[in-house]
Amino acid sequence: SGTIATARLGSGTASSSTFLRGDQTYATAGEDNSPYFRAVGSGSQSVATATMTTIVFNSEQLDSDNGYDTSTYKYTIPSGKGGLWFFQAAIYSAAVSDGVQTDLMIYKNSSTEVGFNRVKAGGSIAPAMITGLIANVAAGDALYARFQQYNGSNVTIYPNNDAAYFAGFRIKSI
């Protein structure tokens, strides 16, 4: 009977923000979801019809492990940081004609499409697009966002719009 001192239960510091794990250590609840990044653009970008184009997200807002390259517009998974990740890309474009197909994709390692969103305009509208996915990635994998459209002429995209970005974070290691 009585109370057992927390020091006798496990190692670490017991507090209102920690819990006792099965291995008898105290740990903070939740995950920190790092590494993480968020990149945005600094201007408009012209995309030719039927041409898959890497989106110029050339400015970092967040980059906890220095994995984002503002010259190639790619995030490279840091050493030891592979696992399940969440990635998301969003873009805003100039108005396109009725029925025009626009595609926003996330690519891995220059050839593998891992995330995809297709919109067919329903009138002369300015499409806002977003795509996201959970992917199992390894250290050294490079991810980036691409856009293509079939308007018949160039379409301007705005990676500098407040709603446009490329971002991601690690959910957990595997």
Side-chain angles (χ1 to χ4, degrees):
S1 69
T3 303
I4 299 173
T6 55
R8 296 193 57 148
L9 295 174
S11 62
T13 304
S15 74
S16 62
S17 63
T18 61
F19 69 97
L20 183 61
R21 296 171 20 148
D23 64 359
Q24 298 306 112
T25 60
Y26 287 96
T28 303
E31 297 182 31
D32 68 3
N33 295 113
S34 65
Y36 52 85
F37 74 97
R38 179 181 163 100
V40 296
S42 61
S44 62
Q45 182 179 354
S46 182
V47 177
T49 192
T51 303
M52 185 65 68
T53 303
T54 298
I55 302 170
V56 178
F57 290 119
N58 59 0
S59 179
E60 294 174 318
Q61 289 183 322
L62 302 167
D63 191 359
S64 67
D65 282 42
N66 299 313
Y68 194 79
D69 187 329
T70 58
S71 63
T72 63
Y73 325 118
K74 295 179 180 181
Y75 184 81
T76 302
I77 304 299
S79 177
K81 305 295 179 160
L84 286 180
W85 279 67
F86 175 77
F87 297 97
Q88 189 170 60
I91 195 68
Y92 178 78
S93 76
V96 295
S97 301
D98 188 22
V100 167
Q101 174 183 315
T102 57
D103 300 328
L104 175 62
M105 291 162 250
I106 297 174
Y107 270 70
K108 180 173 84 170
N109 297 334
S110 301
S111 63
T112 305
E113 175 190 306
V114 291
F116 180 84
N117 186 11
R118 172 170 286 159
V119 172
K120 287 204 176 188
S124 293
I125 63 167
M129 302 177 71
I130 190 166
T131 190
L133 74 147
I134 295 174
N136 188 0
V137 294
D141 284 344
L143 291 102
Y144 58 104
R146 302 186 89 187
F147 178 83
Q148 71 180 352
Q149 54 82 21
Y150 297 92
N151 195 50
S153 60
N154 289 4
V155 168
T156 301
I157 60 173
Y158 302 99
N160 62 329
N161 180 285
D162 289 340
Y165 57 87
F166 179 44
F169 59 87
R170 185 169 70 166
I171 298 169
K172 67 181 244 174
S173 60
I174 295 181

